[in-house]
Amino acid sequence: MKKLFITVLAIALFTNPAKSDEGMWIPLFLGELNEAEMAAMGMRITAEDIYSENHSSLKDAIVIFGGGCTAEVISGEGLILTNHHCGFGRIQSHSSLEHDYLTNGFWAMDKSEELTNPGLKVTFLIRMEEVTEQVLEGVELNMNESDRSAKIEENIIKIKEDAVKDTRYNALVKSFFCQNRYFLFINEVFEDVRLVGAPPSSIGKFGGDTDNWMWPRHTGDFSLFRIYADSANNPAKYSVHNIPYKPKKHLTISTRGVKQDDFTFIFGYPGSTTEYIPSFGVDLQVNYINPVRIALQGKRIDIYKQAMNDSPEIRIQYAAKLAGIANGWKKSIGENRGIMRLKTIDKKEAFELEFQEWAGTSEERRLKYRTLLDEFKKIYNELSPVYRNSIFLGESVFGIELIKYARTYRDMVNASKDKNAGVEKIQALASDLKKASDTFYKNYQVAVDKDVFIALMTALFSDKDQSELPAVLTRLYNNCDQDVEKMCEKIYSRSVFTSKEKLIPLLDNYKRPDYKILEKDIAFKIAVETGIFANSRYVSVISANSLKLDSLMRIYMAAQIEMQPMKNFYPDANFTLRISYGNVSGFNPSDAVAYNYFTTLEGIMEKEDPDIFDYVVDEKLKELYLNKDYGNYADQDGTMHVCFTATNHTSGGNSGSPVLDADGNLIGLNFDRCWEGTMSDIDYDISQCRNIGLDIRYCLFIIDKFAGAGHLIDEMTIVAD
Ligand code: ARG
Ligand code: ASP
């Protein structure tokens, strides 16, 4: 039975009808599934050139950068290219008042100046292999879910062990098509990765959060790093003796430029999509989760922005916090608009009617699938309001910095009360907390946080009946005559966490019994009791239902494939290496509006505003612009192209991915999507969804003409005419 099931899926996968540009494809199957279409769309290389286990291929130049981005090797000396926003944390960590690399940029003028980044890793894929049969070995149809997972877990451990025995590689097994298929990934991880170059934020983050997720875009979102290896070219921990890694493959770069309709593809690591969920799942995202996030995060963003406008000090203190919230917040808004516009829920409901009909057409299908959608509906009906409440409470209570920070003292209180915890442990915790407190207070403004408290608590108490809230909050609220401003005063005037001056002496001389001070602190109490309340009311319901949903999705995914044998299915993104392909193209975002596919330096000058932080233009860049000093990097039209859009289906994680041309040359660096198209994680639509990439010529121009780091260009392999 199990075999049959896999065969049905395999047949479904290998019958290839025409498709649109939608899809994030598994490189292993490119030859069977996509090559013909890619060739018809203009590709001049083969599937083997892109992914091969027998000889070097483009895949040998693609890496996971850190935990959530892609990067690519662009020289024979291990130089890698990724986004500025992917390297941001590293660039920031090297920055100080004397060396402010975030503001001024950083360029190593020779290898000795490159900066080490403890903890930063890059991961190469050595090979991948389907292991569905081995993973499902011993899994019986009538098994209950927990026995099933236990068996699968046991098999996976064995597969991984066998796969990397006596090698220096790592193994990973991941589920595809909602646990219907499994693939093994053999990876090689390098741990000595050094910072080579980064433009100033006025280039690398030009337009900031204002332009984020938007087209037309002018952000020079790139940074450069280098992989180091030991003398045998193998991964090694940082050492002065390490030498630049000699890669199996590095990308050639084309400065020929990009034209409307050119074939392009993107090779990288998209993180997560949910294209096959039922209408109820979309409803949960769009009507329960996103609106709460949009409303509550929006309140915080407004307060932060106002404070940042009023004070240069707060601008610096809250920049990273704002960027962190604003990216997800803005995406949720775009996603909701896109889903409404595409009528995704209606389309899914229409499909579900068809599905229901199909599921009634044979006894076997009736048995397997007929109740499936009802079961989904029942679970989502229960889950959706709980989810909303849980997110509402979390966003409002832990959106307050004081409460979120107080929560980090839980371990200390627990350890202090635990007789088995030794003095060393307590001392270590105190010293960690002290370090963390430096970072916290460096970027903390009580007045800003109080405004956030008032806004979020007002929202919470007007949305919720008191019976739905933790007693610690309702008690305070009622004791303060149901006035959140009074409540705020009470909490902020009493808590030790509001000031470093109160807290540091406590940490400096911390003795076990001091936990009593922490434990009775009002902010700490709110943090802990809200956590307990959320666990008992929401978390258990959510996790039990999520498990049920996983198992229903496994069946529903298989059923969708069975129902549409002529459709070429791609698996949802799961942070494994994928190929997306499409064409360079502008788009019409709304009635009467047409967007060109590329932007230029002229646009940077149009946006320039010395009074608005996001739109400051560096003097050197202005000078190059005024003298039209573009070196070999100008377009044939005489302008300096900055970014371009194409129809490649991408997601979070594709940041830093190479945009490649028909010959497999690097022509751009992916970093974002257009706002109108952010629903592509749920519903891709070729008329609205565009990926945004940096034109590689702008990147080279900045390295060469702006930074004077021509020695880096010399390392690269550039094809021009
Ligand atoms: N929106 C892009 C992505 O999802 C870029 C984010 C970084 N830029 C920013 N302004 N926050 O990651
Ligand atoms: N900006 C995203 C990233 O960081 C890419 C995207 O969501 O399109 O991966």
Side-chain angles (χ1 to χ4, degrees), residues 85 205 208-209 212-213 323 327 655 671-672:
H85 79 259
K205 209 176 182 301
D209 287 305
N212 189 23
W213 294 116
N327 194 41
S655 273
F671 67 94
D672 209 2

Side-chain angles (χ1 to χ4, degrees), residues 156-221:
I156 287 179
I157 291 174
K158 172 103 180 42
I159 294 167
K160 290 202 296 195
E161 269 172 18
D162 291 351
V164 291
K165 211 176 349 170
D166 305 325
T167 73
R168 59 170 191 273
Y169 300 140
N170 293 353
L172 201 71
V173 171
K174 287 216 174 181
S175 128
F176 283 66
F177 292 108
C178 309
Q179 302 178 24
N180 280 292
R181 297 176 69 176
Y182 291 86
F183 287 76
L184 167 70
F185 296 83
I186 307 294
N187 291 327
E188 183 169 37
V189 181
F190 285 81
E191 296 183 47
D192 184 354
V193 183
R194 303 186 194 169
L195 177 63
V196 175
S201 291
S202 64
I203 291 174
K205 209 176 182 301
F206 183 78
D209 287 305
T210 322
D211 284 8
N212 189 23
W213 294 116
M214 305 240 272
W215 186 255
R217 190 65 159 276
H218 299 85
T219 313
D221 196 347

Side-chain angles (χ1 to χ4, degrees), residues 211-218 586-587 595-599 607 642-645 671 673-676 690-693:
D211 284 8
N212 189 23
W213 294 116
M214 305 240 272
W215 186 255
R217 190 65 159 276
H218 299 85
F587 63 112
Y595 279 148
N596 200 357
Y597 70 90
F598 69 90
T599 57
K607 283 181 178 172
V642 176
C643 295
F644 66 94
T645 52
F671 67 94
R673 278 172 282 166
C674 68
W675 209 13
E676 296 79 5
R690 293 292 178 273
N691 70 294
I692 302 176

Side-chain angles (χ1 to χ4, degrees), residues 57-75:
S57 58
L58 293 177
K59 86 130 185 12
D60 298 318
I62 314 299
V63 293
I64 300 175
F65 181 85
C69 279
T70 310
E72 49 277 354
V73 185
I74 54 165
S75 90

Side-chain angles (χ1 to χ4, degrees), residues 91-128:
I91 305 165
Q92 186 178 43
S93 72
H94 290 295
S95 298
S96 59
L97 277 181
E98 304 84 67
H99 301 286
D100 188 352
Y101 301 139
L102 268 188
T103 305
N104 305 318
F106 168 78
W107 302 96
M109 284 305 161
D110 62 48
K111 296 200 178 76
S112 70
E113 290 179 9
E114 295 175 358
L115 299 174
T116 151
N117 299 287
L120 177 60
K121 296 178 182 159
V122 301
T123 304
F124 285 89
L125 174 67
I126 301 298
R127 65 180 178 88
M128 62 184 292

